Amino acid sequence: MLKRFTKYVTQSVAGMIGISVYVLADTFFISVYSGADGLAVLNLILPVYGLIYAIGAMIGIGSATRYAISRAKGENTEHYFVQSVTWSILVAVPFMLIGIFIPDKALALLGADAGLIGLGRNYVRIILIATPFFMSNYTFTAFARNDGAPSIAMIGSISGSIFNIIFDYIFMFPVGLGFSGAGLATAICPIVTMSVCTIHYRSSRNHVGFHWKKPSFRHLISCCQLGVSAFVGELSSGVIAIVFNFLILGIAGNVGVAAYGVVANLSIVAFAIFNGLAQGAQPLISESYGKGQPTQVKKLLKWSLLVCLAVEALIQLIIWTATDPLISIFNSENNVQLLNYAHTGLRLYFLGFIVAGINVVLVAYFSAVDEPKIAIVGSFLRGIVAIVICAVILAKLFGLNGIWISLLAAETVTFLTILFLAYKDRRKRMGLSGNM
């Protein structure tokens, strides 16, 4: 089991890092192309990415988790994959319509002024039109992992990222498409990943069924209950970006937002590592749970938390020893004000990851063992409720530094709440066992 755990986790983390790297590539090339304004536009668009990825993760990862549990119990799972893809496409339609008809208004709603709207209009249009690919991508990779093919999921994710990095440069500079070129490369990226995952689905090792069944809303809700943690995990970056952008705009203007763009994009890599760890352990935890093996479930949780603590320590070491070199990657104009804002912001914000990684693992664990209530409360608390409240209150008390430290405050509140709910649930189960 330890060997399988190591394989699943390392390959899942590698795949998630691959996805985050292409976001960093976008940030780097855009910063070279249009400086601080480009970073500001990209940061304003982050909530759009967050919402698209969140819905796709909830449907895809939730469906794959339900598939793993049901399959371990010997139930019929032939229609799960097709249902997941179908719902992903249906939910993507409103995003596509916004991209086609009103991308300007979407940018304005996110806080962009006339200059930033002119710069990012076509980029947003391309991204929104490609929404079905971004959402369906989660289904393809999550089902591959839950069907015993984490290697294919990893290769698919990394292949898509490599394509995006290479064609970011080609489309933006040699071809001359600029900002729009970055959007086009990003839009094609999930198509590459899904094409690679198809190798598994066409192989003899595939157990995923492709039977058509009329879309069932009840089935969707059942799957999404187990995907809420993934939903909020992806959505949280968007929610945090919206709240932080508006708060920072009032305190430090566009340069402050650009500085947060550097911090936010680097944090994507950290979150990707923890999400990869959680998603890598999930198929094994769900399988053991479905087979009625509580000892194995506890071992997997223990290993996940130990790895999480080690990664958290490594992240803190890197951030505190290489703060300015990391910022300089995205500061092509050598903007001193941006450097000063981001220097303090990076160090304070990343203190939150001392607790955030543990929360990501715990929330994913409760979803994997079919205990959605604790997962849902923990997810919404850390991704929306606590972070918004902490950011607003601490910004009023301590200004910009208060915003940076709000992640640590929110994650600490979430961690204590999850422990309380888990303790309360355990006491309730023990009481029921005693009565029986």
Side-chain angles (χ1 to χ4, degrees):
M1 180 60 76
L2 180 59
K3 185 177 180 181
R4 288 187 71 200
F5 172 81
T6 303
K7 175 184 176 182
Y8 272 66
V9 166
T10 53
Q11 293 181 349
S12 179
V13 169
M16 291 300 293
I17 289 176
I19 293 173
S20 67
V21 165
Y22 83 67
V23 176
L24 292 183
D26 268 357
T27 306
F28 172 74
F29 287 123
I30 287 170
S31 70
V32 171
Y33 179 77
S34 52
D37 281 349
L39 286 176
V41 169
L42 193 60
N43 197 46
L44 290 174
I45 296 171
L46 276 179
V48 178
Y49 277 118
L51 183 58
I52 292 172
Y53 291 162
I55 296 173
M58 179 172 64
I59 296 173
I61 296 176
S63 297
T65 303
R66 182 65 71 188
Y67 160 83
I69 294 174
S70 298
R71 185 173 166 230
K73 292 180 178 179
E75 299 172 359
N76 178 28
T77 59
E78 292 293 307
H79 61 286
Y80 279 49
F81 182 89
V82 175
Q83 285 269 314
S84 184
V85 173
T86 301
W87 279 111
S88 296
I89 294 172
L90 290 174
V91 174
V93 172
F95 291 90
M96 296 174 68
L97 294 176
I98 292 172
I100 294 170
F101 297 109
I102 52 171
D104 300 49
K105 292 183 179 179
L107 270 173
L109 186 63
L110 293 168
D113 56 27
L116 296 184
I117 290 173
L119 183 61
R121 178 190 301 111
N122 289 333
Y123 181 90
V124 171
R125 174 176 281 124
I126 292 169
I127 295 302
L128 290 176
I129 291 174
T131 298
F133 303 127
F134 291 121
M135 288 189 178
S136 298
N137 188 36
Y138 279 94
T139 297
F140 276 75
T141 54
F143 272 83
R145 277 195 301 271
N146 280 271
D147 196 40
S151 301
I152 291 294
M154 176 195 69
I155 293 170
S157 297
I158 293 176
S159 298
S161 298
I162 291 173
F163 172 90
N164 189 38
I165 293 169
I166 294 173
F167 280 86
D168 256 347
Y169 171 75
I170 292 174
F171 288 157
M172 288 185 73
F173 299 104
V175 177
L177 295 177
F179 218 144
S180 299
L184 184 60
T186 301
I188 298 174
C189 174
I191 299 175
V192 174
T193 299
M194 289 187 288
S195 299
V196 173
C197 289
T198 302
I199 295 173
H200 169 70
Y201 297 126
R202 293 174 61 87
S203 72
S204 58
R205 298 179 60 186
N206 173 57
H207 302 96
V208 177
F210 302 101
H211 291 189
W212 166 257
K213 189 175 181 180
K214 184 180 178 181
S216 167
F217 191 70
R218 178 179 295 180
H219 174 81
L220 175 67
I221 295 299
S222 173
C223 292
C224 285
Q225 283 183 333
L226 302 184
V228 168
S229 61
F231 171 83
V232 180
E234 295 288 353
L235 184 65
S236 63
S237 61
V239 172
I240 294 171
I242 290 174
V243 174
F244 279 33
N245 283 339
F246 280 104
L247 291 174
I248 293 172
L249 274 172
I251 297 172
N254 284 346
V255 177
V257 171
Y260 173 58
V262 175
V263 175
N265 278 281
L266 289 171
S267 73
I268 287 174
V269 179
F271 276 120
I273 294 171
F274 294 123
N275 285 329
L277 169 60
Q279 291 177 24
Q282 174 268 309
L284 301 179
I285 294 174
S286 294
E287 178 185 317
S288 298
Y289 171 78
K291 291 180 178 179
Q293 300 172 333
T295 303
Q296 292 283 35
V297 171
K298 290 179 181 178
K299 279 185 180 180
L300 290 164
L301 175 61
K302 179 182 177 180
W303 293 339
S304 298
L305 291 174
L306 288 174
V307 173
C308 182
L309 290 172
V311 171
E312 286 174 344
L314 180 60
I315 287 174
Q316 295 303 317
L317 179 64
I318 293 172
I319 291 299
W320 283 82
T321 57
T323 309
D324 290 349
L326 288 170
I327 296 168
S328 66
I329 296 173
F330 308 103
N331 189 15
S332 61
E333 297 176 328
N334 295 316
N335 188 315
V336 176
Q337 191 176 20
L338 187 151
L339 174 63
N340 291 334
Y341 284 147
H343 179 92
T344 303
L346 197 61
R347 290 186 170 187
L348 293 180
Y349 187 80
F350 266 74
L351 289 176
F353 285 100
I354 295 174
V355 189
I358 296 173
N359 287 339
V360 170
V361 170
L362 289 176
V363 166
Y365 163 78
F366 285 112
S367 291
V369 297
D370 204 7
E371 291 189 27
K373 289 183 180 179
I374 297 177
I376 290 171
V377 171
S379 296
F380 275 99
L381 192 60
R382 67 175 296 266
I384 299 175
V385 180
I387 187 63
V388 171
I389 294 174
C390 289
V392 172
I393 292 175
L394 293 176
K396 289 183 178 180
L397 294 175
F398 306 109
L400 196 57
N401 287 342
I403 297 174
W404 299 136
I405 206 71
S406 61
L407 180 66
L408 176 60
E411 294 290 354
T412 301
V413 170
T414 301
F415 176 67
L416 295 175
T417 302
I418 290 175
L419 288 185
F420 172 74
L421 292 175
Y423 172 76
K424 188 176 179 181
D425 184 68
R426 184 180 180 186
R427 288 290 300 271
K428 183 178 179 181
R429 291 174 182 271
M430 291 175 64
L432 289 174
S433 298
N435 293 331
M436 293 174 67

